[in-house]
Amino acid sequence: TQSAFMNRKYFDTVFLSRNNASYVVSMVDTMGDNDDIVEEISKKLPTDLKVYTWQALMKSMVELMKVDSFFGYISIALFFLVIFFVIMIYGFINVSARIREFGVLKSIGLSDLSIDLLLFYEILILTLLALALATPLGAYTAYYFEAHPIIIPGMSDMYKEYGVVSDEVPTLFEPFTVFWNVTLVFGLNLLSIIYPLFYVRSFTPVEAMHHV
């Protein structure tokens, strides 16, 4: 059994108690189970007793979280878009510097498809090597900050109206998140080679060998 003593006005604001302190608060292991648990409890209680999830009691905070999450997804999308164009520009510069090499390969009978496969295998090998180095490093960083959260002094004072009572910035390490990020970066790397392939194909063997 645990007890907590709180300022009545603060309690009424946080828990929307409306001058009624007869509250029983329970915690669940998985937030996704909230609605199912509320439904089960409601069936076993008298009709004059109400059961609410924290989302219902703190609707303003939930709306703020949704907005924050939306802009977070936009930021991530822009981040990956920048990554894509950086990789594509690097691939284009790499191909542009080797046009004469490809012209010689074409002149001795190498087909466009063979050159496409050559460039594809190059980007595939580079991508796998980069991910093999970056994935464990990034995963360990996320795990480390989950175990040792970043502390921003005074943060709880800024957001105490939303129930934030800690200066720690929580970090969650999830293998699935690591997996889909790695998969997305891998796909973007492979897509980045498409434009350089068409650029190489636009040269005839003679034009490529005289390219400066």
Side-chain angles (χ1 to χ4, degrees):
T1 302
Q2 296 179 342
S3 300
F5 296 91
M6 303 176 63
N7 178 277
R8 181 59 179 273
K9 184 178 180 180
Y10 177 73
F11 182 91
D12 289 345
T13 301
V14 173
F15 293 97
L16 303 178
S17 60
R18 297 172 184 170
N19 202 32
N20 182 359
S22 300
Y23 266 62
V24 177
V25 181
S26 61
M27 297 180 64
V28 297
D29 294 330
T30 306
M31 293 178 59
D33 298 335
N34 282 347
D35 293 334
D36 295 334
I37 293 174
V38 165
E39 185 178 353
E40 289 296 322
I41 295 177
S42 298
K43 292 177 181 178
K44 299 177 181 180
L45 291 178
T47 55
D48 60 332
L49 297 179
K50 302 296 182 182
V51 183
Y52 298 100
T53 63
W54 70 271
Q55 292 99 327
L57 293 176
M58 306 180 73
K59 188 175 180 180
S60 59
M61 181 178 179
V62 173
E63 294 298 326
L64 179 65
M65 291 171 63
K66 289 181 179 179
V67 173
D68 183 68
S69 178
F70 175 75
F71 283 103
Y73 285 125
I74 292 178
S75 299
I76 292 175
L78 292 175
F79 177 71
F80 281 116
L81 189 63
V82 170
I83 291 177
F84 172 74
F85 280 108
V86 168
I87 297 171
M88 188 179 69
I89 291 172
Y90 167 78
F92 178 75
I93 293 174
N94 176 52
V95 167
S96 298
R98 300 167 59 192
I99 292 298
R100 298 183 67 179
E101 172 190 336
F102 297 131
V104 173
L105 293 176
K106 285 185 178 184
S107 66
I108 62 176
L110 207 63
S111 65
D112 287 334
L113 179 59
S114 298
I115 294 177
D116 292 345
L117 290 175
L118 174 64
L119 293 174
F120 174 79
Y121 289 142
E122 286 181 359
I123 193 66
L124 179 63
I125 293 172
L126 289 174
T127 300
L128 291 176
L129 289 175
L131 292 178
L133 177 64
T135 302
L137 182 61
Y140 174 77
T141 302
Y143 176 79
Y144 176 83
F145 284 114
E146 181 182 29
H148 305 87
I150 299 173
I151 297 177
I152 303 179
M155 184 181 71
S156 59
D157 294 334
M158 296 173 57
Y159 297 104
K160 61 183 178 182
E161 61 180 304
Y162 299 106
V164 177
V165 294
S166 175
D167 290 333
E168 294 182 351
V169 179
T171 302
L172 179 63
F173 169 73
E174 282 188 335
F176 176 74
T177 301
V178 175
F179 171 77
W180 79 257
N181 275 272
V182 170
T183 303
L184 182 58
V185 171
F186 180 76
L188 291 177
N189 271 268
L190 297 186
L191 288 176
S192 67
I193 198 62
I194 292 178
Y195 178 71
L197 290 180
F198 282 102
Y199 181 71
V200 172
R201 281 174 172 259
S202 66
F203 290 90
T204 64
V206 175
E207 290 175 339
M209 285 190 294
H210 289 84
H211 183 268
V212 178

